Amino acid sequence: MLPELVHTYQNHTLDSTRWNCYKPRPTDIVISTSLKSGTTWTMEIVRQLIFLGQDAPQHHATWLDNRWDPIDEKIAQLEAQPHRRLIKTHLPLDGLPFYPQVQYIVIGRDPRDVFMSLWNHHANMTADFRAFMNSARGPGDGALPPSPQDIHEYWALWIGRGWFPWESEGYPYWGNMHHIKTWWEYRFQPNILFVHYADMLADPGGEIQRIADFLAIPLPTPALPAVCEAVALDSMRRRAKAEGTRINQVWHGGADTFFFQGTNGRWRAVLSAAELALYEEKAAGMLTPECRAWLEQGRVAG
């Protein structure tokens, strides 16, 4: 049985109904993460693979469910692309149309690491950009609040409350564990590939090769080191600074803030035993043991 649409996601950032305008091509690639799980990293890997040895457009990926830009412009840009298309989404599978002819890459990361990255992301967002985000939302969809000044207050909100009625964590964005849970039961579909942030850190070359094989993109062995270098954190940070994209207007510190440390485990020095107990309770209640093990550890768990 194929996945079915169950929920509509609309808030300060997401509008899942924008996918109603999408017309799939059999070569399309959709990258799905909750957030702060390696989205930009994976998109850059796929971009490098698609345009291997060619001049690649810097702004190749389209984020359809992002409600800030007019959907007709997004669709026009997407339809005008003559090459293989790359589309980003932060939607869970219960809010995303599923097409057997499209290839999906789902990225996971330990939720505690996601939280640390999200804290940096939200706490350093400029007031002007937050106002811009909120100006694009629909009536009744709810505004993104400013980040609490205290990381422990933020943790209590994030782990203990959902934005949507069917979620119980992820506030003030959307569910993180809920996101992976919706994809997990369909992980054996031939057009879905699961990739983990920790595996990309541990073996970038091996994970790049896995992605290339899944997408049926030939990757000559001599080309792999150049792709690894192009998608390294420092390389992506340098390009973002040079391009002067929106990324440098959204956060205090620009690309240095967005491309922060790219490491795991920082939560160990921040979250207390009581705070981690909240995580344990939430993860045990939401995820199967197999799903939780993968989400926390990656392929080594299997």
Side-chain angles (χ1 to χ4, degrees):
M1 183 178 296
L2 295 179
E4 296 181 357
L5 281 175
V6 177
H7 296 299
T8 297
Y9 288 81
Q10 291 174 315
N11 68 357
H12 46 74
T13 301
L14 300 179
D15 183 355
S16 60
T17 66
R18 291 161 64 98
W19 278 86
N20 296 338
C21 302
Y22 167 66
K23 297 178 181 178
R25 294 179 188 171
T27 57
D28 282 351
I29 304 162
V30 174
I31 293 177
S32 177
T33 74
S34 63
L35 73 176
K36 310 313 296 179
S37 301
T39 320
T40 304
W41 191 6
T42 310
M43 289 194 301
E44 182 60 19
I45 288 171
V46 174
R47 187 178 76 91
Q48 292 289 333
L49 291 173
I50 291 173
F51 298 102
L52 193 65
Q54 307 173 45
D55 291 331
Q58 292 297 330
H59 308 296
H60 170 53
T62 300
W63 181 9
L64 276 186
D65 33 278
N66 164 17
R67 69 187 312 161
W68 310 330
D69 300 318
I71 186 59
D72 55 342
E73 294 181 10
K74 289 280 190 181
I75 293 296
Q77 293 169 3
L78 194 62
E79 289 297 321
Q81 293 179 13
H83 42 67
R84 197 165 181 182
R85 304 188 303 184
L86 173 59
I87 305 164
K88 161 186 169 179
T89 181
H90 283 317
L91 291 173
L93 190 50
D94 61 5
L96 181 71
F98 183 81
Y99 300 96
Q101 69 270 41
V102 171
Q103 290 180 291
Y104 298 86
I105 302 176
V106 182
I107 316 299
R109 189 183 187 187
D110 187 311
R112 294 160 293 191
D113 292 310
V114 169
F115 168 75
M116 294 301 298
S117 185
L118 181 62
W119 163 253
N120 174 71
H121 173 99
H122 194 178
N124 286 291
M125 184 179 291
T126 66
D128 285 346
F129 187 74
R130 186 166 51 81
F132 165 74
M133 288 175 59
N134 288 330
S135 70
R137 64 189 173 89
D141 289 338
L144 177 67
S147 171
Q149 294 300 304
D150 181 73
I151 192 171
H152 301 285
E153 180 183 350
Y154 199 79
W155 170 260
L157 289 170
W158 188 77
I159 199 65
R161 178 180 173 186
W163 183 276
F164 299 101
W166 53 88
E167 296 180 339
S168 63
E169 40 81 44
Y171 184 89
Y173 285 86
W174 43 84
N176 176 64
M177 284 183 270
H178 173 79
H179 179 275
I180 207 68
K181 179 181 177 180
T182 65
W183 286 94
W184 184 255
E185 63 180 297
Y186 296 99
R187 65 193 181 279
F188 298 119
Q189 290 287 334
N191 61 328
I192 297 177
L193 178 71
F194 272 64
V195 177
H196 198 277
Y197 193 96
D199 294 326
M200 293 198 292
L201 280 177
D203 182 16
E207 292 304 295
I208 291 169
Q209 186 64 64
R210 280 186 71 230
I211 293 171
D213 292 344
F214 171 71
L215 299 175
I217 296 175
L219 179 60
T221 301
L224 183 57
V227 175
C228 289
E229 172 60 28
V231 303
L233 183 67
D234 287 344
S235 298
M236 292 195 295
R237 185 187 290 121
R238 284 196 299 270
R239 282 197 297 274
K241 287 181 177 180
E243 292 162 17
T245 58
R246 180 184 279 177
I247 205 171
N248 296 306
Q249 304 164 5
V250 176
W251 292 278
H252 299 293
D256 286 327
T257 296
F258 183 79
F259 295 103
F260 190 44
Q261 295 188 17
T263 58
N264 287 336
R266 291 186 292 123
W267 53 269
R268 292 187 176 90
V270 174
L271 299 177
S272 68
E275 288 170 326
L276 291 174
L278 294 175
Y279 167 74
E280 292 290 330
E281 180 181 2
K282 185 71 65 174
M286 290 191 63
L287 306 174
T288 65
E290 296 79 12
C291 181
R292 178 179 175 181
W294 180 83
L295 191 56
E296 293 178 354
Q297 304 172 53
R299 288 198 293 133
V300 69

